[in-house]
Amino acid sequence: MAANALMSCGMAAAAVRPSVLSSSKSRFAASIPMATSGGATTSRFTMSAEWMPGEPRPPYLDGSAPGDFGFDPLGLGEVPANLERYKESELIHCRWAMLAVPGILVPEALGLGNWVKAQEWAALPGGQATYLGNPVPWGTLPTILAIEFLAIAFVEQQRSMEKDPEKKKYPGGAFDPLGYSKDPKKLQELKVKEIKNALLAFVGFCIQQTAYPGTGPLENLATHLADPWHNNIGDVLIPK
C-alpha cells in the first residue's frame, strides 16, 4: 500500500510538471492529491507564485499591471493609493534610466570621456559645462540648476493636472508619434517590454557602478574582451 501511495504521488507530480515549464512567467499552480492508507484523498498541497516558487501572490497584485509577477516582499503596495503612486514613480525613474543609456554610451564611444568624469566640472570654482566637447551657453552650475528646477517643476505641474492614472503613465498623443497605442493588444505587449527593458537599464547601471566605480561601461567591456579569463565578474565576487 505504501508503495502504491508513493507511486501515485510520483505520477501526479509528473503529470503537473509540464505546466511548470510551459509558462514563460514560471507560474506554478497545481494541486497534488495526498493519498492515505485507505486510498482516499484527504488533502491537497497547492503552490501558486510567479517570482518565487512557494511564495503566495499578494491579493492586491492581480497581474493586471504590466510586468506584475507578484513581487512585493515588503508589502509596500498594500495601500491602493501608494501602489498607484509606486507604479507611476517606477515608470518615471525607469524611463530616465533608459534615456541615460545613450547619454552614457554615446560620449564615451566618441572618445569624450565617461559619464563620471563628465560632471567633474561642477566641483571646480567657475567650472564650465560642456556637451559632446562643446561649451554649454550659461553653463555655470547655479544657472543650470535654476533652469532644471524651473523646467522639471513645469513638467511635473502639467502632469499632476491629469487625474486619469493611466494617462499619467501613458499619455499618448505627442508622446506616441508612431501610433503604437492604436492597437490595444500591441500596446499591452509594449508596456511589458518597456518595464522589462527599463528595469534592466536601471539595475544594470547600479551593478556596473557598484562593481567598477568611476569607469564607463565601454571601458569595462574593452577590458573584459582584452582578457576575458581574468577580467570578469569573478574579480568582483572573489577579489584578488
Side-chain angles (χ1 to χ4, degrees):
M1 295 294 292
N4 291 337
L6 289 174
M7 184 177 296
S8 299
C9 290
M11 292 176 64
V16 300
R17 187 176 301 168
S19 65
V20 180
L21 302 178
S22 62
S23 172
S24 61
K25 297 167 69 176
S26 301
R27 171 175 290 183
F28 180 58
S31 298
I32 302 178
M34 305 298 290
T36 63
S37 58
T41 301
T42 59
S43 63
R44 289 178 178 271
F45 174 73
T46 302
M47 295 177 66
S48 178
E50 293 185 348
W51 74 274
M52 176 67 72
E55 188 70 18
R57 168 182 281 274
Y60 51 86
L61 296 179
D62 57 4
S64 60
D68 178 8
F69 291 89
F71 179 80
D72 188 15
L74 301 181
L76 300 177
E78 291 181 345
V79 179
N82 291 347
L83 178 59
E84 188 58 41
R85 177 58 180 166
Y86 288 144
K87 290 178 182 178
E88 181 183 339
S89 299
E90 180 183 47
L91 271 178
I92 297 299
H93 285 85
C94 285
R95 285 167 180 168
W96 276 114
M98 287 192 291
L99 286 172
V101 171
I104 290 172
L105 295 180
V106 171
E108 187 175 357
L110 294 177
L112 300 175
N114 63 50
W115 73 274
V116 180
K117 297 179 180 179
Q119 56 191 330
E120 292 179 348
W121 66 270
L124 302 175
Q128 176 73 27
T130 61
Y131 184 73
L132 298 180
N134 301 311
V136 177
W138 310 294
T140 61
L141 182 59
T143 304
I144 289 181
L145 289 178
I147 293 174
E148 289 184 350
F149 176 81
L150 294 175
I152 296 298
F154 173 76
V155 171
E156 287 297 305
Q157 191 273 338
Q158 293 295 311
R159 197 165 62 86
S160 66
M161 294 175 64
E162 178 58 64
K163 302 306 179 185
D164 186 339
E166 281 301 305
K167 288 186 178 181
K168 288 182 73 173
K169 292 178 292 186
Y170 306 99
F175 294 95
D176 184 23
L178 300 180
Y180 288 125
S181 59
K182 293 180 179 179
D183 185 348
K185 184 178 180 180
K186 186 68 175 180
L187 177 61
Q188 291 301 318
E189 180 183 344
L190 291 175
K191 286 180 180 180
V192 176
K193 290 183 177 180
E194 178 188 41
I195 197 66
K196 286 183 176 181
N197 285 282
L199 289 174
L200 178 62
F202 182 78
V203 174
F205 168 83
C206 294
I207 293 176
Q208 189 266 332
Q209 278 307 298
T210 302
Y212 301 99
T215 62
L218 296 183
E219 179 183 353
N220 297 153
L221 178 61
T223 303
H224 169 70
L225 294 178
D227 190 1
W229 290 105
H230 297 93
N231 299 321
N232 50 56
I233 192 64
D235 293 341
V236 181
L237 299 177
I238 308 176
K240 296 179 181 179

